[in-house]
Amino acid sequence: MNAENMIEIINKKRNKMQLSKEELKYAVMGYVNGEIPDYQMSALLMAICLNGMSDEETFNLTEIMYNSGDHLDLSDIKGFKIDKHSTGGVGDKTTLLLAPIVASLGVKVPKMSGRGLGHTGGTIDKLESIPGFKVSLTMDEFKKQLNEVGAVITGQTANLVPADKKIYALRDVTGTVSSIPLIASSIMSKKLASGADKILIDLKVGNGALVKTMKDAKKLAELMVKIGKKHKHDTICVLTNMSEPLGNNIGNALEVLEAIELLKGNVHNDLYDLIVYMASYMVSLGKNIKIEDAKKEVIETIKNGKAYDKFLEMVKAQGGDITKIKVAPKIFSIKSNKAGYINTINTEGLGEIVKEIGGGRETKDDVIDYGVGIVLSKKVGDHVDKEEEILKIYVDKKDMEIRRILSCFTIEEKKKSKEPLIYDVIM
Ligand code: URA
């Protein structure tokens, strides 16, 4: 293609027309190479967000992003390798747990993770709350640790899908996160480039997720499975509930601390149930055993401390020191202004609050305050008395209005039935 004008490409998408592979490549690679400025790429992303993309455009976009950098070749690493990915939610610390649990049972987990996106947190930001933890490994370091420890979590290396790295950061601050084709191509380009044998995706659905409805979640799952098939990579999407925060802690350091407590056998909430479900799937695929047998192994490896030992081994290998994790110094107890059952939690609202007190980014270059966050004392379905604590908020420099926090909870006399934790599996 001639050096087609970026404005024409933006106009075409604004007018709901289909972009050719050449046009998409021109825009994406031009942006990666610094020839197309943020403001033009933002306009194109917004047009995609509003007008969507056909399957063919999404396949092409995935391929362009996948080919924008290196591909990780893990064929020289012995054993079964399974990658997992979550589409993001509030309080979602599953990667921190699944990698050591599954690796402690002999299935390797090579994991490249991202930073926070929109109101959702990111695994790399969470890991950075562990002083010393190195989140940018070279390919050689990544493979060495995968071989020796079996679990490794790193940020995307500079040259692994650089297109996604740059576009992801721009989407975060331009209101262009929640687009099905953009999410599908972002996730699948990274998963395909990271070389695992199989891919398990935890697709979060609900008011705290990037995807709010079951209809959109099914569309996204089917699209990712199709992309996986096209590239001969088995992809399994588990649709899970994100209409309340996962577990009790929200905020980088606080989430790491909850993960540690779970690995020590001290946490038995919805986070524990989801972890056991997902880990059983991963172990069953990795060892080619029945889910029920894998589940027994998963429960046992948490109980006997082997998963926690593997977590410590992984943290040590990456230079982290969990004894130095710090939470914010000011802790306020937020109490309910009435009695009743907690029927809904505005999960995105709580995610936004944590972001605003410093736990996430408003602009690409913001520095995170790792120690801030929220610890829920009550979850959906729980009863609360008037003046009883609903949550604790950990703040440092920025405070938050109590009324705004309380407005995230619907408290009613009658208890409503609770949504299931796992909705569906699409493969
Ligand atoms: N996770 C990703 O990696 N990309 C997205 O676009 C959304 C969630």
Side-chain angles (χ1 to χ4, degrees):
M1 164 183 143
N2 277 337
E4 171 108 50
N5 193 320
M6 183 68 179
I7 300 170
E8 277 177 35
I9 295 177
I10 298 168
N11 283 339
K12 224 173 145 181
K13 192 35 78 185
R14 192 200 61 204
N15 293 333
K16 302 194 170 83
M17 289 162 75
Q18 189 153 327
L19 298 178
S20 68
K21 192 168 183 181
E22 287 70 32
E23 286 164 332
L24 283 168
K25 193 166 173 187
Y26 177 82
V28 171
M29 294 317 292
Y31 183 59
V32 173
N33 298 331
E35 288 147 14
I36 286 169
D38 278 358
Y39 55 83
Q40 283 192 315
M41 196 60 190
S42 306
L44 179 61
L45 290 170
M46 184 56 82
I48 292 173
C49 226
L50 296 174
N51 294 333
M53 275 183 145
S54 66
D55 281 4
E56 195 188 333
E57 284 176 297
T58 313
F59 294 152
N60 287 337
L61 179 61
T62 308
E63 210 167 305
I64 293 160
M65 300 219 295
Y66 165 68
N67 285 322
S68 67
D70 298 334
H71 302 154
L72 197 51
D73 180 6
L74 300 178
S75 55
D76 53 336
I77 292 182
K78 281 189 229 90
F80 191 90
K81 290 139 289 205
I82 185 157
D83 195 357
K84 67 75 65 174
H85 191 88
S86 159
T87 55
V90 176
D92 180 3
K93 63 284 284 177
T94 49
T95 295
L96 306 178
L97 291 156
L98 289 172
I101 292 170
V102 173
S104 74
L105 294 169
V107 177
K108 296 201 162 93
V109 186
K111 183 75 186 94
M112 299 228 175
S113 289
R115 297 195 176 274
L117 192 62
H119 65 279
T120 67
T123 303
I124 290 305
D125 296 329
K126 294 172 211 222
L127 286 171
E128 273 184 343
S129 73
I130 306 175
F133 197 101
K134 203 170 148 198
V135 294
S136 355
L137 303 180
T138 62
M139 293 274 184
D140 285 345
E141 287 168 331
F142 183 79
K143 283 169 116 179
K144 184 168 179 278
Q145 189 175 323
L146 185 62
N147 237 339
E148 291 172 2
V149 181
V152 54
I153 308 175
T154 181
Q156 255 166 280
T157 59
N159 212 31
L160 196 109
V161 198
D164 179 65
K165 200 169 184 179
K166 222 173 151 186
I167 293 171
Y168 191 96
L170 187 63
R171 285 170 58 212
D172 188 25
V173 292
T174 53
T176 53
V177 168
S178 58
S179 147
I180 290 175
L182 292 181
I183 298 174
S185 52
S186 161
I187 293 177
M188 292 308 289
S189 59
K190 282 180 294 206
K191 297 299 104 183
L192 296 172
S194 62
D197 299 314
K198 286 197 199 269
I199 303 163
L200 182 71
I201 295 176
D202 176 5
L203 206 169
K204 305 248 171 248
V205 199
N207 75 53
L210 299 178
V211 182
K212 311 285 183 210
T213 64
M214 278 304 281
K215 190 169 157 237
D216 280 350
K218 284 198 170 151
K219 223 158 83 186
L220 176 59
E222 278 157 14
L223 193 52
M224 290 196 287
V225 169
K226 267 196 232 165
I227 297 172
K229 279 210 176 103
K230 230 173 149 24
H231 290 262
K232 302 195 170 38
H233 270 261
D234 282 348
T235 305
I236 298 148
C237 287
V238 183
L239 275 51
T240 69
N241 183 355
M242 184 35 75
S243 49
E244 67 176 321
L246 186 60
N248 290 64
N249 295 15
I250 315 164
N252 298 290
L254 289 166
E255 291 189 37
V256 173
L257 294 175
E258 186 177 23
I260 290 173
E261 284 308 307
L262 190 147
L263 291 170
K264 286 180 171 173
N266 299 331
V267 173
H268 290 278
N269 54 11
D270 55 340
L271 173 66
Y272 176 84
D273 293 340
L274 183 66
I275 288 298
V276 170
Y277 184 90
M278 299 290 284
S280 305
Y281 234 106
M282 291 167 82
V283 171
S284 143
L285 289 167
K287 294 188 161 183
N288 202 13
I289 58 176
K290 283 199 212 122
I291 289 261
E292 305 85 71
D293 296 334
K295 186 173 173 184
K296 282 185 202 136
E297 290 193 23
V298 167
I299 290 171
E300 185 53 29
T301 195
I302 299 173
K303 228 187 215 164
N304 64 25
K306 286 196 177 145
Y308 183 49
D309 289 345
K310 186 56 78 181
F311 175 79
L312 294 177
E313 197 185 337
M314 179 183 84
V315 171
K316 189 166 171 226
Q318 294 188 232
D321 182 352
I322 59 164
T323 64
K324 297 209 168 105
I325 297 174
K326 279 206 179 84
V327 296
K330 291 192 267 174
I331 306 166
F332 297 103
S333 170
I334 307 293
K335 299 193 165 74
S336 177
N337 49 9
K338 60 174 162 178
Y341 289 95
I342 298 187
N343 277 337
T344 67
I345 298 181
N346 174 358
T347 314
E348 181 165 349
L350 289 183
E352 284 293 338
I353 287 172
V354 172
K355 186 170 103 175
E356 284 172 37
I357 57 174
R361 294 179 190 80
E362 300 284 352
T363 72
K364 271 198 297 185
D365 305 316
D366 275 356
V367 176
I368 285 191
D369 192 345
Y370 294 109
V372 301
I374 283 174
V375 175
L376 296 172
S377 316
K378 300 282 175 186
K379 301 257 300 174
V380 170
D382 287 346
H383 185 270
V384 63
D385 287 327
K386 191 168 179 204
E387 293 304 318
E388 193 183 353
E389 180 178 281
I390 290 194
L391 59 88
K392 284 191 174 67
I393 184 159
Y394 290 64
V395 288
D396 194 348
K397 293 175 200 86
K398 293 182 204 156
D399 291 341
M400 181 55 60
E401 226 190 312
I402 293 176
R403 231 177 329 148
R404 190 168 145 209
I405 302 173
L406 283 179
S407 72
C408 292
F409 295 81
T410 315
I411 301 170
E412 290 166 325
E413 226 173 275
K414 261 205 170 145
K415 185 173 173 171
K416 282 203 184 128
S417 61
K418 215 175 147 135
E419 297 268 314
L421 186 59
I422 317 283
Y423 292 117
D424 205 352
V425 179
I426 294 177
M427 57 177 94

